[in-house]
Amino acid sequence: MASEETNRGAFRIQEFYCRKMDAPIYAELCVAIAEGLDRGSETGRRVLDWPGEPTRDALPLRLIGGLHALVLANADAELAEVFAGQVSAAAINRVLARHDAALLPWLDGPPQTNEPGRSGALIVGLLEVARRCGPKLEILEIGSSGGLNLLIDRYRFDLGGVEFGPAASPVTIAPAWLGDPPVLPGIEIVSTRGCDVQPLDVTDPAVEARLSAYVWAETPMRLGRLQRAIGMIRERGVRLDRADAADWMEARLAEPQAAGVTRVLMHSVVWQYVPDASTARIRAAMEAAGARATAERPLAWVAMEPDRALGEQVVSVRTWPGGGPRVVVATAHAHAAWVRPGAERTSEQGILLDAAAEVVL
């Protein structure tokens, strides 16, 4: 069982990431909770006595998501002032005491985020795959949540002033582009399909409300984009399966592959949540499929996963035939508010997807 000190420390760790991601109010929320959370509410006691590993369990984001839900529901004027920047531990403790019944369920499960902005980083990896393997891509995403990044073929993109994708799309992904504008290869996403152990039906108003609560209050642009992306799924759904990631990938890789189409495993901010036994199976399945890959039926792996030491996301690519080393093609903000094409070598503390050495493009 974690100690109270460890549980308070998890909010300090989250403060670091909030400051890295330009979220000063959320950072101050984390400081106030870390330093001043008391046992005057059942919610406070449960947080301080958290039995698991609080950072891996995303305990801070569970609690803050519940608090933001109250703000979005206009349920507490004092809490609204806290989220507007008047942050104090005393105010937070009073809010917890008033809203125990509403907040406790938010501690029961991990955050359910589905950030369409991450497509702005993932597309950098897909463009690299198209350069290497040809324009036609078949996307297989694990950890798809509600499937909003499976809309990557329907989003409009603006990467440093270079625009592509459907001109009439309700959603344009336009991260701050910290580098030279890309030179676009031909790219055609012929299909997208995903899986999740607990897929979300984002067309359910209750699910939309929950996802909205996990959007940080300091980024209202993200909330509007989320709502428009959900509207796109209401208009035309995506192919999203309930499945274990390893089971699903083994099954997909065993299916026939069309000639002239690259099969791409894609994921973002999910690898750390997949059990070690499953990640080992996925690596083995990709290596085996890679050994069978040909120039006519290539295979690729595009990932956006965190480097914990840098507090940034790393976008990496590996392709077959040939296998070769994994290359880093960009780093990005966790919600892809900015993307830096090319990259400095990432920390060894980052998540290693495979044993191949990383090469920087």
Side-chain angles (χ1 to χ4, degrees):
M1 180 174 177
S3 67
E4 178 178 322
E5 181 181 0
T6 299
N7 293 332
R8 290 186 187 276
F11 287 86
R12 281 295 193 182
I13 293 171
Q14 186 61 45
E15 177 209 355
F16 166 76
Y17 288 112
C18 290
R19 295 201 190 280
K20 287 283 291 185
M21 292 187 282
D22 300 318
I25 294 175
Y26 269 37
E28 290 304 316
L29 271 171
C30 289
V31 172
I33 294 168
E35 295 181 352
L37 182 65
D38 66 26
R39 295 179 174 274
S41 64
E42 178 61 27
T43 303
R45 292 190 293 274
R46 188 169 171 197
V47 168
L48 294 175
D49 295 335
W50 191 256
E53 205 295 306
T55 297
R56 188 177 181 91
D57 292 344
L59 177 61
L61 297 181
R62 296 186 192 207
L63 177 58
I64 295 173
L67 292 171
H68 192 204
L70 292 174
V71 173
L72 293 176
N74 297 313
D76 193 291
E78 184 176 29
L79 182 59
E81 292 179 354
V82 169
F83 271 67
Q86 300 179 39
V87 180
S88 75
I92 293 169
N93 286 320
R94 288 192 294 268
V95 168
L96 298 187
R98 286 195 293 270
H99 296 284
D100 256 341
L103 289 169
L104 284 168
W106 287 84
L107 301 179
D108 290 339
Q112 294 170 290
T113 56
N114 197 186
E115 174 50 62
R118 289 178 179 148
S119 286
L122 290 166
I123 196 68
V124 180
L126 296 180
L127 290 172
E128 177 62 20
V129 172
R131 287 187 192 97
R132 295 183 182 196
C133 302
K136 294 187 177 182
L137 311 181
E138 168 199 354
I139 307 300
L140 300 172
E141 184 187 36
I142 59 172
S144 296
S145 189
L148 297 185
N149 285 303
L150 292 173
L151 295 170
I152 197 166
D153 60 330
R154 296 189 234 166
Y155 291 148
R156 180 77 173 170
F157 292 94
D158 180 344
L159 306 182
V162 175
E163 297 188 25
F164 61 101
S169 177
V171 172
T172 296
I173 308 293
W177 190 256
L178 308 182
D180 294 332
V183 177
L184 296 183
I187 183 169
E188 179 187 353
I189 298 175
V190 299
S191 66
T192 65
R193 184 176 179 183
C195 78
D196 199 276
V197 289
Q198 292 183 311
L200 301 176
D201 178 5
V202 297
T203 65
D204 181 338
V207 172
E208 181 175 3
R210 186 173 181 85
L211 289 175
S212 297
Y214 286 121
V215 173
W216 294 9
E218 292 156 290
T219 54
M221 177 275 293
R222 286 179 58 213
L223 183 57
R225 183 173 61 197
L226 173 76
Q227 292 167 340
R228 293 193 301 278
I230 289 172
M232 291 172 69
I233 288 187
R234 286 197 173 103
E235 182 176 326
R236 177 161 62 93
V238 294
R239 193 173 181 186
L240 178 56
D241 302 323
R242 181 183 297 274
D244 169 82
D247 291 345
W248 190 81
M249 276 307 301
E250 288 168 350
R252 300 290 74 74
L253 291 171
E255 292 174 346
Q257 180 177 346
V261 176
T262 304
R263 179 167 283 170
V264 185
L265 165 59
M266 182 180 83
H267 55 85
S268 58
V269 199
V270 70
W271 199 249
Q272 68 203 69
Y273 302 115
V274 180
D276 291 345
S278 293
T279 60
R281 286 173 57 196
I282 293 169
R283 283 194 295 266
M286 289 295 287
E287 291 288 358
R292 301 190 300 269
T294 65
E296 191 175 31
R297 291 177 173 81
L299 180 69
W301 188 344
V302 172
M304 172 188 171
E305 295 293 346
D307 182 300
R308 294 189 181 98
L310 293 175
E312 297 177 355
Q313 305 294 312
V314 174
V315 182
S316 64
V317 172
R318 195 174 178 203
T319 57
W320 294 263
R326 178 174 297 281
V327 298
V328 175
V329 296
T331 54
H333 179 280
H335 308 135
W338 56 262
V339 173
R340 183 187 299 114
E344 297 178 357
R345 186 171 298 280
T346 58
S347 164
E348 291 181 358
Q349 298 178 47
I351 292 178
L352 297 178
L353 298 175
D354 54 47
E358 291 179 340
V359 174
V360 177
L361 287 185

